[in-house]
Amino acid sequence: DVQLVESGGGSVQTGESLKLACVGSGYGSAYSNYCRGWFRQAPGKEREGVAAVNTGTGTTYYTDSVKGRFTISQINSITVDLQMNSLKPEDTARYYCALDFRVCGGRWYVPSGYLLWGQGTQVTVS
């Protein structure tokens, strides 16, 4: 089966760190240049793009609210991490990883552009 699986969520205090991981499977190594993204959704809010990486070039994209605090990294051909430092209560949300088989572009933050989604992992900051 083609799937993405997230891990690494949890409950932390303000200022602490968490690392999320997203492992993909079932879509083959033929895809060498595509977009892997992290999104989050808090209760009552729309899903928003947090960060993305173009797997072919390593180019990264971040939403303004996480710049300087979050780092997206492609670990290998199937794994993308999201290192989250200096966490704030407003970062509390369910975090999802996503895959678009096209390269990331100026609209990397739009959820409808992604074909494959994980089930999500909860991050709570208090």
Side-chain angles (χ1 to χ4, degrees), residues 2-6 20-24 27 34-40 47-55 72 78-82 94-102 104 108-121:
V2 179
Q3 61 178 353
L4 299 174
V5 178
E6 304 96 337
L20 307 182
C22 175
V23 179
Y27 51 84
Y34 51 92
C35 191
R36 295 282 295 270
W38 281 98
F39 289 74
R40 65 187 179 187
R47 190 168 296 189
E48 67 166 339
V50 175
V53 59
N54 191 317
T55 63
I72 188 170
I78 61 172
T79 304
V80 172
D81 284 357
L82 184 69
R94 190 162 185 86
Y95 283 69
Y96 299 87
C97 67
L99 186 153
D100 180 357
F101 288 111
R102 302 165 296 180
C104 299
W108 65 268
Y109 53 89
V110 178
S112 61
Y114 291 78
L115 180 65
L116 189 62
W117 290 85
Q119 298 281 40
T121 184

Side-chain angles (χ1 to χ4, degrees), residues 27-84:
Y27 51 84
S29 59
Y31 296 98
S32 61
N33 191 16
Y34 51 92
C35 191
R36 295 282 295 270
W38 281 98
F39 289 74
R40 65 187 179 187
Q41 188 166 20
K45 294 189 177 182
E46 294 185 353
R47 190 168 296 189
E48 67 166 339
V50 175
V53 59
N54 191 317
T55 63
T57 64
T59 303
T60 56
Y61 306 80
Y62 297 94
T63 191
D64 286 347
S65 63
V66 307
K67 285 180 180 177
R69 300 189 298 122
F70 291 13
T71 303
I72 188 170
S73 302
Q74 182 182 359
I75 304 304
N76 53 42
S77 62
I78 61 172
T79 304
V80 172
D81 284 357
L82 184 69
Q83 176 67 46
M84 304 185 295

Side-chain angles (χ1 to χ4, degrees), residues 40-43 48 89-95 121-125:
R40 65 187 179 187
Q41 188 166 20
E48 67 166 339
E90 51 263 44
D91 295 318
T92 295
R94 190 162 185 86
Y95 283 69
T121 184
Q122 180 66 34
V123 172
T124 302
V125 186

